Amino acid sequence: MTTMAHRRGMQEIRMPGVDGVLLAAVVVLVGLGIVMVASASMHLGGRDGDALRFVDRHLLALALGAGAGWLAYRTPMGWWRQWSTILYFLGLALLLLVFVPGLGREANGALRWVAAGPLSLQTSEFMKVFVVLYMSGYLVRRQFEVASSLWGFVKPIFLLVIACSLLMLQPDFGTTAVLLMTAFGMLFLGGAPLWQFAALLSLAVGALMTLVWISPYRLERVTTFLNPWEHAQDSGYQLAQALIAFGRGEWVGVDLGNGIQKQFYLPEAHTDFVMAVIGEEFGLLGTLVVIGMFCLIVWRSYAIGARAELRGDRYAAYVSYGLGLWLGMQAFINIGVNVGLLPTKGLTLPFLSYGSNSLIVCCIAVGLLLRVRYENQIAGDDKEGQWQRA
């Protein structure tokens, strides 16, 4: 027993903060993402004479993300807590930059990117992390107020409404929905009474439904989602092609590279609809593996957060819970869109889709989770076996 304890201690010294299950799930998703981006984009790059153009950019984003994740891991949680409010307002300023003439870049009718040399900065992606950091700090500072008064519950929503309003002006309905659901989930975990949570959630759902109703193209997406085959040649084309891809994949897929939908029929196959390509080339088995990896990430996020809460660091705990909520929610929405459970919206699949900003932010999230795990270790909490069995 002494030898085993000593060996485990030496491993933790060499690899502080490493969570094997979390990292394994992330590595599987990232590795599969590289393969699928290559599979779904080589024919697009080949049109411009560079078949690996999208793969090279994806690998560059992964390198930048690994660096950003390392910096997040090396930064103490106390620093994130101290600067969480400032970072939130920085995020709001970044959202405003897209509306500055000469800086904002428009693509596919959406103004979501800021020119940053050879790269484009999608500021809404970074807002996802900033919201988690801010809400975590607020829940720690106002714990009693959130749990006992309506005002304490509503106050952070005002700042959230500002962010969501800027996102809707871009427009970015998908990110708005993710931010709202993540913030509401964190408020619920922070002790907000169930009736307040239900009332605010109903209000938010009503507001989003109103936005859908007054916007013709969003209303068209909803009606199309209800019966994509009736609109298979126009507004339901993308969803219909995604469903065909899943149908062709059957149990084990048509093998890597043999998918047809990505080459001739399915738009945005390497970004928002990469899951449909996985379903076609790896079948139900591959789809279940991806879902399983996201389940592991969410589980480990909550396990790490629970250990942080057990040792009394509620800020680190809420950060872990919030990151797990965000990654799980975004994965659920993207996969739901791909299989026709939800209306079509532009959201990437974390760690898998082509998109430099999304990949970088996901790496930062992993760095933060590993930082919390590291601080759990150095605080002397030695209950890893208990949480892995839970």
Side-chain angles (χ1 to χ4, degrees), residues 234-272:
D234 42 74
S235 57
Y237 178 81
Q238 194 168 26
L239 177 55
Q241 299 305 320
L243 294 176
I244 292 172
F246 282 107
R248 291 192 73 249
E250 298 185 352
W251 292 100
V252 294
V254 297
D255 292 333
L256 178 64
N258 290 334
I260 294 176
Q261 298 301 112
K262 66 187 181 186
Q263 299 187 47
F264 304 106
Y265 306 104
L266 182 63
E268 308 298 335
H270 60 307
T271 55
D272 301 343

Side-chain angles (χ1 to χ4, degrees), residues 265-289:
Y265 306 104
L266 182 63
E268 308 298 335
H270 60 307
T271 55
D272 301 343
F273 281 82
V274 70
M275 192 65 183
V277 181
I278 294 174
E280 182 179 11
E281 300 190 351
F282 294 102
L284 178 62
L285 179 62
T287 302
L288 292 178
V289 167

